[in-house]
Amino acid sequence: MVGELGRVTGEVGPGLVGEVMLRVRGGAEAFLAYAAEEGERLPRGTLVVVVEYQPPRTVYVSAAYR
């Protein structure tokens, strides 16, 4: 999962549990998401990269492009 690209479907930010869609097993699945960098806010639609994965369905993400 680390290094995979996904798209934010529920805002990620301080005090928020967001949601991202990631490609898994030929399809797309939703994962709970937290910002990898403290204070970072990622609005819906942002392309993100997974920097940490905590099974079964939690990821820490950062913006893919800045």
Side-chain angles (χ1 to χ4, degrees):
M1 295 300 299
V2 173
E4 291 291 323
L5 293 177
R7 187 149 323 262
V8 175
T9 54
E11 185 174 358
V12 177
L16 300 173
V17 177
E19 180 184 76
V20 297
M21 294 296 287
L22 300 171
R23 291 183 185 265
V24 178
R25 295 181 293 277
E29 296 183 17
F31 287 77
L32 297 178
Y34 294 93
E37 297 179 27
E38 188 174 330
E40 186 174 25
R41 185 170 290 275
L42 304 166
R44 290 178 69 186
T46 303
L47 187 63
V48 294
V49 62
V50 176
V51 297
E52 186 178 336
Y53 171 60
Q54 292 183 346
R57 307 218 42 97
T58 302
V59 292
Y60 287 79
V61 297
S62 188
Y65 303 102
R66 297 186 186 240

